[in-house]
Amino acid sequence: MLINFKIDNITCDACVKISKSALNRLPGIKRIEIDKNGLTTLESEQDISLDEIKEVLEKADKKISLI
C-alpha cells in the first residue's frame, strides 16, 4: 500500500526525524520518505487508514493534509 500526503508543519530536519519516528510506530511500515516541504510517501505491507496516520502524527505535534 502506498499513501501520499503532506505534513503541514515541517520546518527543519528535526521535524522530519520526529515525523518518521512517529510513522514507524504504525504496523507494517516498509518505507517512509519525507522531503523538506513535508511531502510524504508512506509504503506499508498492510492497509493503514488516514485516521491512524493522523493520530500518530498528532501525538508528535504534526498535522497532515491530503495532496
Side-chain angles (χ1 to χ4, degrees):
M1 171 179 201
L2 203 59
I3 304 171
N4 294 303
F5 55 92
K6 183 175 190 285
I7 301 173
D8 294 327
N9 51 346
I10 295 287
T11 58
C12 63
D13 289 337
C15 291
V16 171
K17 185 176 180 179
I18 289 167
S19 298
K20 282 184 176 183
S21 177
L23 291 168
N24 270 315
R25 294 185 192 122
L26 294 167
I29 297 299
K30 291 172 59 177
R31 179 176 58 99
I32 302 168
E33 293 180 14
I34 304 173
D35 73 11
K36 298 214 187 246
N37 295 317
L39 297 176
T40 304
T41 299
L42 179 74
E43 185 177 0
S44 174
E45 296 174 348
Q46 61 190 55
D47 289 344
I48 297 174
S49 72
L50 285 176
D51 287 336
E52 290 175 290
I53 293 169
K54 286 179 184 180
E55 185 178 322
V56 297
L57 286 172
E58 284 175 358
K59 288 179 182 175
D61 199 29
K62 301 294 173 203
K63 305 224 182 285
I64 71 167
S65 58
L66 298 176
I67 53 171

